[in-house]
Amino acid sequence: MIRLAEPNYTLEHVIDACLLGITGNNALKSNVEADKKNLVDVGEQYSASSRGGSLYLLQPIDCSATQNPLVLNRLMKSDLIKLYETYFVPEEKPAREVYNKILNAAMESCLFCGGIGTPRNLDHFLPKAHFPQFSILPVNLVPSCRDCNMDGKSSAFADQAYSQIIQPYLDNDRFFLDQWIVASYEEEVNGEPGKFIYRVNPPAEWNDTDKLRVAKHFLDFNLAHRYGVKAAQLLGTVMAQVDSLRRIGLSNELIRETIFEPGISQAQFPNHWQRGFYQALMLVLVDARVSKIPVLNQ
């Protein structure tokens, strides 16, 4: 759910870079050149649909009669997949520069899981097996970590409005600017450090479809567990800081201003795990239940 600016490269630029790399396959090169405008046109349709929240209306190619159907005027499914796999991805091809620039733009943060994982490749938001016409479309290529690529998303795609996960480049700003992931801190009865429960809680004014969309995104990418793990890793450090400030006589209010409010404001984006972490602990402090938070090193 990290927003990333659209890649600087147009589809036309990527097509031209792939054409430069096509050697020894004059038939494919000729067909790509002939269908270049059609590829650009369907790319524009993709962008318009994504901005309107209607990517689910784009129909996958029909492979019921053959595994290698004709997708555009001259280009078959295998041609479009080959364009990606043979002339876009390999290091020695001119188009690889575009691949690297898109991947590096994420700054080592997976867009789907909020930066928990590190992207190692580009994921096709609409999978190329079902939508090969978008195989080299820059805004369809999302820097993704292995967990999100293989387990969270895989080759799935939406066929209903409510089942669309968040498109990092083109989706509505509300998914990136509004907070819809919150957390609570559950204390252990034996005095041991508690645990964090992350959940979806979108703004009440959102429409039902968007509420269901973020719930699906949260579930598909296993964010409750993955966010909870990150929070548990930080808990000991923060509790040690709270303990130290208590010992020198700081009030709950000063502890909140010193630790919790900066932790909330410095979270990288509204739905980052760190924001929910500090919000949940601050609620415990504000509720005057700070004594229930374990004091470390006693």
Side-chain angles (χ1 to χ4, degrees), residues 184-197 235 239 246 280-295:
S184 58
Y185 177 73
E186 293 191 356
E187 300 154 341
E188 295 289 345
V189 295
N190 58 4
E192 294 295 318
K195 62 182 179 179
F196 291 83
I197 306 299
L235 179 60
M239 289 303 95
R246 282 191 204 155
L281 284 184
M282 189 170 74
L283 281 177
V284 176
L285 181 65
V286 170
D287 288 345
R289 292 187 287 116
V290 70
S291 60
K292 293 186 179 182
I293 298 178
V295 176

Side-chain angles (χ1 to χ4, degrees), residues 7 36 129 189 206 252 264 285:
K36 180 178 177 179
V189 295
W206 280 22
N252 288 352
I264 294 170
L285 181 65

Side-chain angles (χ1 to χ4, degrees), residues 154-228:
S154 188
S155 60
F157 59 92
D159 58 6
Q160 300 289 332
Y162 65 83
S163 62
Q164 294 181 105
I165 59 172
I166 299 169
Q167 216 284 355
Y169 297 114
L170 302 172
D171 230 321
N172 194 291
D173 284 343
R174 68 172 63 94
F175 299 121
F176 309 97
L177 301 180
D178 293 349
Q179 184 176 5
W180 48 270
I181 297 178
V182 298
S184 58
Y185 177 73
E186 293 191 356
E187 300 154 341
E188 295 289 345
V189 295
N190 58 4
E192 294 295 318
K195 62 182 179 179
F196 291 83
I197 306 299
Y198 285 87
R199 66 186 187 279
V200 174
N201 185 30
E205 64 270 18
W206 280 22
N207 62 56
D208 290 341
T209 296
D210 288 345
K211 291 177 181 179
L212 290 170
R213 287 186 64 192
V214 294
K216 178 173 174 56
H217 191 105
F218 186 83
L219 179 63
D220 283 1
F221 296 105
N222 197 22
L223 296 185
H225 172 72
R226 297 170 77 181
Y227 273 30

Side-chain angles (χ1 to χ4, degrees), residues 45-46 48-58 161 164 171 213:
Q45 181 186 9
Y46 176 105
S49 296
S50 187
R51 290 190 177 95
S54 58
L55 274 180
Y56 71 97
L57 293 175
L58 299 180
Q164 294 181 105
D171 230 321
R213 287 186 64 192

